[in-house]
Amino acid sequence: MPQAWSSAIARLAGLIATSIGLGLVFGRVWLWVTAVLGVLLCLQLVNLFRLHRWLRHRSHEDPPDIGGIWGDVVSQIGRIYRRKQFHKRRVVQLLREFRRLSAALPDGVVLLSQNHEILWFNRMAALLLGLQRKADRGMPIENLVRYPEFSRYIQGAGGGAGVVVRVEGGEKSLLLIVIPAGGELLMLARDVTREARLEQMRKDFVANASHELRSPLTVISGYVDQLGEENGLGAEWREPIADMQQQAARMREIVDDLLELSRMESSADEAPLLPVDMPELLERLVREARASAATPPRFELDIRSKRGLLGSERELHSIAFNLVSNAVKYTPAEGTVTVRWTCDDAGAQLTVADTGIGIAAEHLPRLTERFYRVDKARARANGGSGLGLSIVKHGLQRHGGRLEIASAEGRGSTFTAHFPSRRVPPSAGVPHRARR
């Protein structure tokens, strides 16, 4: 027990004993005890009044000089108050440093609540997004950044690489990234106008160059094919012309892929919601792949749902064709290529699995880059353009989907195209399995 309490209890016991003694001497013991306790209560009320007055005016009054337990209480309150003042000054200092650092950031920073209401933003965010500190605080960010792609992005909890929106009449491009931060959201705004213009210039150059190459390449291919069909052609020219035909065909494939990729990139809108019979499309693709391959592997077509998709048939055909042809190129004749179509509550999945050579883990993040090749010598021998998986990625993005890749060297690869549930029509079909 603390010494102050021991002293207080001893003092109280002494006063009660004294009052009882006086009562025994002068009579009326309870009157003396009541009087002593009443005086003691008055003293406590006076001390309580002094403590209360000091708590109300402690900013400009010194603490009362009280002994005993009340003195300990005043000392404890004083220490708590000084500690509180220290932490308050520390928090204010940290807040000022944070504001100074956030003001120096080249990116805009906006703190949002769970309901996407603006809680705080720095100076750069005000410049980039046109925010006003008094008028816009507490407003939902979707009311101020009115772009459908941004609304879909933030409703999906943000994350990822963000979304690019155009402001000021399309003259400026902003990259908006929303990062979950506990119970709140942190939105970063970055001016990517220069990068967007360079990217658009690159896309325009690729599209124009591909379009301009198509006509002369068609003429060259025609003359080369005609030369190859000449009966009087010498034997020494047969092999060179066959090589020319092969390379011309490869160039046509590259140009066609570049045009397809440019067409997908040039459209900022999502793919249309047109019904596509995916089971029939996949059956046709497997038949074509089996017939066109020189040494085709074994095919397994696993259709687990007759439900199709809502999208662009041309782009969905391109997605499936590139996945299947990519599996055929890297699977030996004794291997197996499995094409699977499934639908569930989460959406639809197109899976193309093979038992081919597989891919090392370090190459997986870059497979969808343009012209990226794991084995350049083997890719040239197989005649690939290096654009197939890039076309798949952009086609899936236009359908709100994503590509998942799993592979290991020597154990084959599995490519899964995930489509959202809004792309799956509501009618259900009877699952069936077909083998080829």
Side-chain angles (χ1 to χ4, degrees):
M1 182 179 294
Q3 184 178 0
W5 279 98
S6 301
S7 301
I9 292 173
R11 189 179 304 111
L12 177 60
L15 289 173
I16 293 175
T18 302
S19 62
I20 292 174
L22 291 173
L24 292 174
V25 173
F26 298 101
R28 298 185 179 181
V29 174
W30 290 110
L31 180 63
W32 281 96
V33 171
T34 302
V36 169
L37 292 178
V39 172
L40 184 61
L41 177 60
C42 292
L43 292 176
Q44 302 304 318
L45 290 175
V46 171
N47 290 334
L48 181 60
F49 172 78
R50 295 174 64 186
L51 176 62
H52 180 260
R53 177 182 174 83
W54 173 65
L55 290 176
R56 292 182 60 188
H57 307 284
R58 64 178 180 273
S59 58
H60 56 272
E61 284 190 8
D62 294 331
D65 186 11
I66 307 176
I69 296 177
W70 288 102
D72 283 356
V73 171
V74 171
S75 300
Q76 290 286 349
I77 293 175
R79 283 194 291 269
I80 293 173
Y81 179 70
R82 288 191 296 272
R83 192 180 302 116
K84 174 187 171 183
Q85 291 296 102
F86 170 78
H87 289 298
K88 182 179 179 180
R89 288 192 297 268
R90 179 61 177 164
V91 169
V92 171
Q93 181 182 0
L94 291 175
L95 182 60
R96 289 175 178 172
E97 291 179 0
F98 172 76
R99 288 183 173 178
R100 185 173 64 253
L101 292 174
S102 65
L105 287 174
D107 298 338
V109 182
V110 183
L111 184 63
L112 305 173
S113 67
Q114 289 183 342
N115 298 324
H116 307 162
E117 298 170 345
I118 298 176
L119 302 178
W120 173 87
F121 54 87
N122 68 348
R123 187 182 309 166
M124 185 56 67
L127 294 175
L128 294 176
L129 300 172
L131 302 179
Q132 300 179 6
R133 195 164 300 279
K134 292 183 179 180
D136 296 333
R137 185 174 294 174
M139 293 286 292
I141 190 65
E142 295 96 324
N143 292 359
L144 304 174
V145 184
R146 298 180 179 179
Y147 297 92
E149 58 270 27
F150 174 72
S151 297
R152 289 191 296 268
Y153 169 69
I154 196 172
Q155 291 297 334
V163 61
V164 177
V165 299
R166 294 183 178 273
V167 297
E168 298 181 5
E171 295 296 326
K172 181 181 292 186
S173 298
L174 298 180
L175 172 63
L176 304 179
I177 304 176
V178 176
I179 305 171
E184 298 172 341
L185 299 173
L186 189 67
M187 187 181 81
L188 304 180
R190 181 177 302 165
D191 188 351
V192 293
T193 304
R194 181 174 179 275
E195 292 83 351
R197 288 175 179 172
L198 291 174
E199 180 69 12
Q200 188 61 45
M201 289 174 60
R202 182 193 62 77
K203 291 179 181 179
D204 293 342
F205 171 77
V206 171
N208 294 333
S210 303
H211 183 75
E212 294 299 328
L213 284 172
R214 195 171 194 175
S215 296
L217 183 58
T218 302
V219 175
I220 293 172
S221 299
Y223 281 119
V224 170
D225 292 340
Q226 187 175 358
L227 282 174
E229 295 174 358
E230 288 291 333
N231 294 327
L233 189 66
E236 69 276 8
W237 287 103
R238 296 289 180 186
E239 186 175 351
I241 290 180
D243 291 340
M244 293 169 64
Q245 290 176 323
Q246 182 182 3
Q247 295 303 319
R250 183 183 175 197
M251 289 181 66
R252 282 199 304 271
E253 181 183 353
I254 293 175
V255 170
D256 290 341
D257 286 347
L258 282 172
L259 288 172
E260 178 70 12
L261 187 58
S262 299
R263 187 189 63 80
M264 290 183 180
E265 291 180 335
S266 62
S267 178
D269 299 329
E270 282 199 354
L273 295 172
L274 301 176
V276 179
D277 189 346
M278 287 300 294
E280 190 277 333
L281 184 149
L282 294 175
E283 289 177 0
R284 175 161 37 94
L285 272 178
V286 169
R287 286 197 305 269
E288 294 173 356
R290 191 170 186 273
S292 61
T295 55
R298 179 172 176 266
F299 282 94
E300 289 189 359
L301 181 60
D302 186 5
I303 304 296
R304 300 186 179 183
S305 174
K306 287 187 177 181
R307 298 168 71 179
L309 278 179
L310 300 177
S312 167
E313 183 172 1
R314 175 179 176 177
E315 294 179 11
L316 292 173
H317 179 277
S318 180
I319 292 170
F321 171 79
N322 280 287
L323 290 177
V324 173
S325 61
N326 190 69
V328 172
K329 287 175 184 176
Y330 297 100
T331 303
E334 63 275 10
T336 302
V337 173
T338 302
V339 180
R340 183 179 299 111
W341 174 252
T342 59
C343 294
D344 52 30
D345 294 338
Q349 297 83 36
L350 169 60
T351 303
V352 179
D354 63 70
T355 58
I357 60 176
I359 307 166
E362 62 267 21
H363 297 292
L364 296 181
R366 300 189 59 189
L367 284 181
T368 56
E369 294 181 9
R370 296 175 182 85
F371 301 109
Y372 183 78
R373 302 177 187 272
V374 176
D375 187 342
K376 296 183 179 180
R378 186 181 179 92
R380 281 193 295 268
N382 290 333
S385 66
L387 294 169
L389 292 180
S390 184
I391 292 174
V392 171
K393 183 186 74 170
H394 283 83
L396 286 173
Q397 288 177 348
R398 279 180 43 79
H399 287 78
R402 59 184 177 88
L403 179 64
E404 180 183 352
I405 305 174
S407 183
E409 282 188 292
R411 295 179 3 190
S413 306
T414 300
F415 294 80
T416 304
H418 296 272
F419 297 91
S421 58
R422 58 188 175 86
R423 288 282 177 179
V424 181
S427 60
V430 179
H432 72 281
R433 180 183 295 254
R435 289 183 177 270
R436 298 287 190 273

